[in-house]
């Protein structure tokens, strides 16, 4: 690189201001489905200097940025093949980690016999899934801020390595308590992997439309998995959330002969604001809980998504009971039936992608921020999935559960539930992203917390519910609850504008959206 080119890559550090740099997009994980928030244009914003005043005013400091918009090292400029390669590696890693959540249920009888655990009216062996879900709910509250502070790659590689190491004590455990404790930490690693996929997608694909297909692909991909656990450690992904690690390394260590700024200290723009980690952790815990308790939209979306996702895990318990009693199948045979859920999730992914044009078309009737799609248009997929998928699928699954009816009929109901759950989870997440803009990560953090809590505890009732109520009415009870939740989006669709006007978080998102459109138009 010649000195003039280097000048484009490294510039003197400004007095606490960012000069037109693009911010990283925010990402969050919902139901182990990575969701991506579109990037925001950055204006000259003051950077808090309470912790970095010396750096901000150091004349010997430099800001490292890309070599212009066409820098080949910028992941946005990678070839399509390289982008999909990086995305695919992340998907496979998340795929196999997410599988860890429920695959152990297939061996619950062997585990119960070895450790003398009762699986009578109450499935005590399911505590292994519960501990995994609690870990997935709580650990991200601390680990996500660490990822933001130290970068995606080192945290993800460390978490994946730790996840693989945890397989050893699972295999060698001498008592049931050891399994429960180890599974807690295994569950805590999984959201990191799912969030990494969202980071990869947002950092290599530019713009909402470009991300819609890879984002949709991740939706169903993360619900299913195969045991390739130790085969996909990720050192091959040389991507660190577009924090200019390559340029930072080069400028910090290479002598810049012939360039007047040689020998200066180099920093990326993200390093200008060094908020103490403990403050980041506190904020990451407080805001999601605050929004969950004060924002009705967040509360209802969280309840709906958590219920829908929790039923998927509930069915992993009920399928063995239903198919065992009706058709005499063992645990392994009943496990194969759950492929129907996977098929449904793939179809649900297709629904989410195919309804994107409804969302973009809504921009023509947006009077608040002209030219910007209406956030409520994201809920069309959720309504379809919630009514025809989750509610309809539960009724089909319940009322075809008779020995005289072919086993494929209840499996169709399972596929419908998988279809609907994907549509509900992804549709709700996309709505929260659009409605809350820069606060979407906190809104989705609340959703993820309650979703994983639902995964942990809702399936504990499966055996008792299907035994006491019967196969038909147990599924019908879930269907009626789903039907009530499906009605909530119609309120948002009708009075969405009024709801947004009463929310301080949403009002700020509207202002930012309008300003962004004005800058783009200018």
């Amino acid at each position: 690189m010649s000195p003039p080119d280097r000048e484009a890559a490294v510039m003197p550090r400004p007095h606490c201001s960012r000069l037109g740099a693009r911010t990283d997009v925010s990402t969050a994980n919902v139901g182990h489905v990575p969701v991506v928030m579109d990037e925001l244009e950055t204006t000259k914003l003051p950077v808090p200097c309470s912790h970095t005043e010396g750096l901000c005013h150091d004349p010997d400091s430099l800001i490292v940025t890309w070599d212009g918009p066409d820098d080949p090292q910028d992941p946005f400029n990678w070839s399509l093949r390289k982008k999909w390669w990086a995305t695919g590696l992340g998907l496979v890693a998340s795929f196999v980690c997410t599988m860890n959540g429920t695959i152990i249920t297939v061996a619950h009888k062997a585990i119960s016999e070895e450790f003398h655990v009762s699986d009578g009216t109450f499935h005590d062996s399911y505590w292994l899934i519960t501990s995994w879900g609690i870990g997935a709910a709580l650990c991200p509250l601390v680990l996500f801020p660490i990822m933001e502070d130290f970068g995606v790659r080192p945290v993800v590689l460390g978490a994946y390595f730790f996840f693989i190491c945890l397989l050893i004590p699972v295999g060698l455990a001498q008592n049931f308590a050891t399994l429960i404790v180890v599974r807690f930490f295994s569950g805590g690693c999984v959201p990191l992997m799912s969030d990494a996929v969202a980071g990869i997608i947002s950092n290599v694909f530019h713009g909402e439309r470009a991300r819609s297909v890879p984002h949709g692909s991740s939706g169903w991909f993360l619900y299913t998995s195969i045991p390739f656990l130790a085969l996909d450690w990720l050192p091959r992904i040389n991507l660190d959330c577009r924090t200019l690690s390559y340029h930072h390394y080069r400028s910090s260590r290479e002598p810049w002969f012939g360039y007047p700024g040689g020998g200066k200290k180099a920093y990326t723009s993200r390093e200008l604001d060094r908020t103490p980690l403990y403050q980041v952790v506190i904020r990451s815990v407080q805001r999601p809980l605050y929004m969950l308790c004060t924002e009705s939209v967040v509360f209802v979306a969280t309840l709906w998504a958590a219920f829908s996702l929790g039923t998927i895990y509930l069915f992993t318990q009920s399928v063995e009971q239903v198919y065992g009693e009706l058709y005499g199948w063992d645990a392994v045979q009943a496990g194969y039936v759950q492929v129907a859920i996977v098929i449904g999730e793939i179809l649900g992914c297709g629904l989410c992608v195919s309804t994107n044009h409804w969302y973009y078309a809504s921009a023509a009737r947006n009077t608040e921020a002209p030219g910007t799609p209406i956030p409520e248009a994201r809920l069309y997929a959720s309504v379809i999935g919630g009514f025809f998928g989750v509610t309809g699928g539960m009724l089909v699954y319940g009322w075809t559960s008779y020995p005289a009816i072919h086993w494929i009929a209840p499996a169709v109901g399972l596929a419908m539930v998988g279809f609907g759950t994907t549509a509900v989870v992804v549709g709700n997440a996309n709505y929260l992203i659009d409605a809350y803009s820069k606060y979407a990560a906190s809104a989705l953090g609340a959703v993820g917390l309650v979703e994983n809590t639902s995964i942990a505890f809702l399936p504990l009732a499966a055996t008792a519910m299907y035994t006491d109520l019967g196969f038909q009415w147990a599924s019908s009870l879930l269907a009626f609850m789903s039907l009530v939740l499906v009605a909530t989006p119609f309120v948002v669709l009708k009075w969405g504008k009024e709801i947004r006007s009463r929310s301080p978080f949403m009002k700020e998102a509207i202002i930012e959206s309008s300003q962004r459109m004005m800058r783009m138009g200018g």
Side-chain angles (χ1 to χ4, degrees):
M1 177 184 291
S2 62
D5 293 331
R6 286 176 179 160
E7 239 174 287
V10 182
M11 26 183 190
R13 191 181 196 81
H15 293 290
C16 300
S17 64
R18 295 176 182 170
L19 301 179
R22 289 178 299 188
T23 60
D24 292 337
V25 288
S26 301
T27 60
N29 173 64
V30 180
H32 311 312
V33 182
V35 289
V36 181
M37 282 155 272
D38 203 9
E39 61 189 340
L40 298 175
E41 296 289 334
T42 306
T43 56
K44 294 184 178 181
L45 299 176
V47 178
C49 295
S50 57
H51 306 284
T52 59
E53 185 172 352
L55 294 178
C56 288
H57 293 85
D58 187 354
D60 293 327
S61 298
L62 302 169
I63 295 180
V64 185
T65 185
W66 300 112
D67 297 346
D70 299 322
D71 187 347
Q73 296 298 331
D74 186 339
F76 281 161
N77 298 324
W78 285 358
S79 67
L80 188 60
R81 180 179 179 181
K82 188 175 183 179
K83 291 179 179 182
W84 275 105
W85 174 250
T87 302
L89 290 176
L91 285 171
V92 172
S94 297
F95 181 75
V96 299
C97 288
T98 306
M99 167 274 301
N100 180 258
T102 57
I103 195 172
I104 200 170
T105 59
V106 178
H108 75 90
K109 287 188 176 179
I111 293 173
S112 299
E113 291 174 1
E114 181 172 350
F115 298 117
H116 308 291
V117 176
S118 173
D119 264 348
T121 304
F122 186 85
H123 264 229
D124 286 314
S125 62
Y126 192 83
W127 285 112
L128 299 177
I129 310 299
T130 298
S131 64
W132 186 91
I134 295 173
L138 299 180
C139 290
L141 296 177
V142 176
L143 295 178
F144 282 162
I146 294 176
M147 181 186 291
E148 292 176 356
D149 202 52
F150 295 99
V152 173
R153 191 168 186 264
V155 176
V156 169
L157 291 181
Y160 195 76
F161 178 75
F162 183 59
F163 173 81
I164 293 174
C165 291
L166 290 174
L167 297 177
I168 298 174
V170 169
L172 301 178
Q174 299 299 308
N175 54 67
F176 193 63
T178 299
L179 285 178
I180 292 177
V181 173
V182 173
R183 291 276 297 173
F184 172 86
F185 292 104
S186 294
C189 294
V190 172
L192 286 175
M193 304 307 302
S194 300
D195 186 77
V197 176
I200 292 172
I201 293 173
S202 65
N203 292 317
V204 300
F205 292 96
H206 184 62
E208 276 190 10
R209 293 179 183 268
R211 294 178 189 137
S212 60
V213 174
H215 179 203
S217 301
S218 66
W220 65 267
F221 204 87
L222 299 180
Y223 281 116
T224 58
S225 33
I226 51 177
F228 296 153
L229 292 174
L231 302 181
D232 188 58
W233 195 25
L234 294 175
R236 294 168 289 178
I237 298 183
N238 190 21
L239 178 65
D240 194 7
C241 254
R242 308 189 71 251
T243 55
L244 306 171
S245 57
Y246 170 81
H247 288 283
H248 191 187
Y249 176 87
R250 183 178 64 185
S251 62
S252 299
R253 293 164 175 77
E254 288 187 5
W256 290 69
F257 299 112
Y259 176 63
K264 293 186 177 182
K265 301 172 186 177
Y267 301 91
T268 64
S269 60
R270 286 173 64 109
E271 293 174 316
L272 287 171
D273 183 10
R274 293 182 178 177
T275 304
L277 183 59
Y278 78 91
Q279 291 184 8
V280 178
V281 173
I282 292 174
R283 184 170 63 245
S284 73
V285 174
Q286 287 180 336
R287 186 179 289 162
L289 295 178
Y290 177 80
M291 295 182 71
L292 179 63
C293 296
T294 61
E295 294 286 312
S296 58
V297 169
V298 174
F299 178 79
V300 172
T302 297
L303 187 64
W304 191 15
F307 172 81
S308 299
L309 194 62
T311 58
I312 291 290
Y313 282 75
L314 185 146
F315 281 155
T316 64
Q317 296 298 102
S318 70
V319 165
E320 181 181 346
Q321 182 180 359
V322 170
Y323 277 80
E325 292 187 21
L326 295 181
Y327 307 109
W329 290 17
D330 58 28
V332 176
Q333 291 174 312
Y336 293 145
V337 176
Q338 297 182 44
V339 172
I341 298 178
V342 178
I343 295 173
E345 288 164 350
I346 296 174
L347 296 175
C349 164
L351 173 67
C352 294
V353 174
S354 64
T355 56
N356 277 339
H357 70 280
W358 294 347
Y359 167 70
Y360 295 121
S362 69
R365 59 179 188 273
N366 192 342
T367 58
E368 294 176 280
T372 303
I374 299 174
E376 287 78 26
R378 291 290 197 183
L379 294 174
Y380 296 145
S382 298
V383 172
I384 295 173
F387 185 77
F388 295 103
V390 180
T391 303
M394 289 173 176
L395 292 174
V396 171
Y397 178 67
W399 293 97
T400 58
S401 295
Y402 291 98
I405 299 178
H406 196 277
W407 64 267
I408 290 182
V412 171
L414 292 175
M416 293 171 66
V417 172
F419 164 83
T421 297
T422 300
V424 168
V425 171
V426 175
N428 285 5
N430 284 333
Y431 166 66
L432 294 178
I433 289 170
D434 289 347
Y436 286 97
S437 186
K438 72 177 183 179
Y439 297 110
S442 295
L444 293 175
V447 175
L449 174 65
V450 180
E451 277 183 342
N452 283 293
T453 303
S454 174
I455 287 172
F457 292 103
L458 183 59
L460 290 174
T463 301
M465 186 170 66
Y466 275 82
T467 298
D468 295 341
L469 298 180
F471 300 156
Q472 293 76 32
W473 286 108
S475 294
S476 296
L477 174 62
L478 295 173
F480 297 147
M481 295 173 64
S482 174
L483 187 61
V484 172
L485 292 171
V486 171
T488 57
F490 291 100
V491 176
V492 179
L493 288 170
K494 183 173 180 59
W495 291 289
K497 185 176 179 179
E498 289 76 8
I499 292 174
R500 290 196 298 275
S501 66
R502 296 178 181 178
S503 167
F505 297 101
M506 290 186 179
K507 283 193 291 187
E508 186 171 345
I510 295 172
I511 294 173
E512 284 193 349
S513 178
S514 300
Q515 291 175 343
R516 185 166 68 251
M517 292 302 298
M518 290 176 63
R519 289 196 299 270
M520 293 174 62

